[in-house]
Amino acid sequence: MYGYGLGYYGLDWTVLLLFAGMILSLAVSARMKSTFAKYSRIPSASQMTGAQTAQRILNAAGIYDVTIVPIRGQLTDHYDPGKKQLALSEPVYASRSLAAIGVAAHECGHAIQHAREYAPLNIRSALVPVANLGSSLSWPIFLAGFIFSIRPLLTLGILLFTAAVLFQLVTLPVEFNASSRALQMLESTGIMGSTEAGGARKVLSAAAMTYVAALAASILQLLRLLILAGGRDRD
Ligand SMILES: [Zn+2]
């Protein structure tokens, strides 16, 4: 055991990897919230709400079978490919701010990806069950392997966690692509001029960084699992 035991001498040093990931995620999400708040106070020249923007963009992209609905919460905006539903959080749905229009356009980006059968989106959707399994079972299985020194369980736990990390990796191109489609549509439809689009771009970049930080935090966790498993082998 000699210091490798989880909880045996309190926390082992690898927990620092976990903390580093948490601090990074918190910092990036705080920055995203403040950027969103800043551009939520700037009204757009078009005077369009998030919902009107979404409708205009979808129609300009030739999409008429997606419904736009308001949902509760903040930053809960998403596109549901199963229901073909674009859900905008209440502050985004009715707001005429640069931030709201940027977020609404981003969700349209996902609807357009779906309509055009954008490959990374399909891969991501296919990975959802694997990723859910990975994130819920990896730790219990790894811990069981760690406590009882069962090598195959350690390996299985690490593989499951790796599946969850891969899912986060595939999420990145999907998110970046949705934002670039959004900005392109905002300009080509004339909803925003290039100066205003600069504000929307900042909101979307800050949001994209939260996915990068989440991936980095998961990679640090994976590293931690590998180090713990390696230490267990040497015992
Ligand atoms: Zn997105």
Side-chain angles (χ1 to χ4, degrees):
M1 295 289 278
Y2 301 112
Y4 283 111
L6 282 175
Y8 194 73
Y9 290 107
L11 298 168
D12 62 303
W13 73 268
T14 59
V15 84
L16 293 176
L17 295 170
L18 212 63
F19 289 154
M22 276 161 62
I23 290 167
L24 178 72
S25 296
L26 285 173
V28 167
S29 120
R31 186 169 165 272
M32 192 263 279
K33 282 181 184 144
S34 75
T35 309
F36 185 83
K38 179 182 171 190
Y39 288 97
S40 290
R41 290 189 293 267
I42 305 178
S44 111
S46 74
Q47 302 263 317
M48 288 170 77
T49 63
Q52 289 166 339
T53 301
Q55 193 63 62
R56 168 89 73 89
I57 290 178
L58 291 178
N59 293 355
I63 298 171
Y64 296 94
D65 56 351
V66 168
T67 50
I68 302 163
V69 295
I71 49 160
R72 286 180 180 284
Q74 272 215 321
L75 301 169
T76 44
D77 312 76
H78 64 274
Y79 170 69
D80 182 337
K83 292 186 197 160
K84 287 201 167 188
Q85 195 174 73
L86 204 144
L88 298 177
S89 61
E90 279 160 357
V92 165
Y93 189 89
S95 163
R96 300 171 201 277
S97 72
L98 294 187
I101 291 182
V103 169
H106 171 90
E107 299 310 331
C108 290
H110 287 309
I112 297 171
Q113 287 173 337
H114 185 217
R116 309 280 190 268
E117 296 182 3
Y118 176 64
L121 181 73
N122 291 340
I123 297 171
R124 186 179 182 275
S125 305
L127 280 176
V128 169
V130 189
N132 287 341
L133 202 71
S135 52
S136 56
L137 290 182
S138 56
W139 267 103
I141 289 178
F142 183 88
L143 263 181
F146 192 86
I147 291 164
F148 303 110
S149 288
I150 305 171
R151 182 72 223 176
L153 285 185
L154 286 175
T155 308
L156 181 61
I158 288 172
L159 284 176
L160 282 168
F161 196 82
T162 306
V165 173
L166 282 177
F167 175 76
Q168 287 181 301
L169 188 67
V170 180
T171 298
L172 290 189
V174 176
E175 292 303 325
F176 280 98
N177 176 269
S179 286
S180 76
R181 284 177 197 264
L183 293 165
Q184 198 186 318
M185 290 307 278
L186 285 174
E187 292 206 51
S188 69
T189 53
I191 296 172
M192 274 187 185
S194 52
T195 318
E196 282 197 328
R201 185 187 303 274
K202 282 191 183 132
V203 172
L204 296 183
S205 303
M209 281 312 291
T210 62
Y211 291 98
V212 177
L215 173 66
S218 294
I219 290 173
L220 287 173
Q221 280 202 54
L222 179 60
L223 192 63
R224 180 176 183 226
L225 293 184
L226 290 169
I227 293 169
L228 289 173
R232 180 45 102 219
D233 276 355
R234 282 194 302 274
D235 285 354

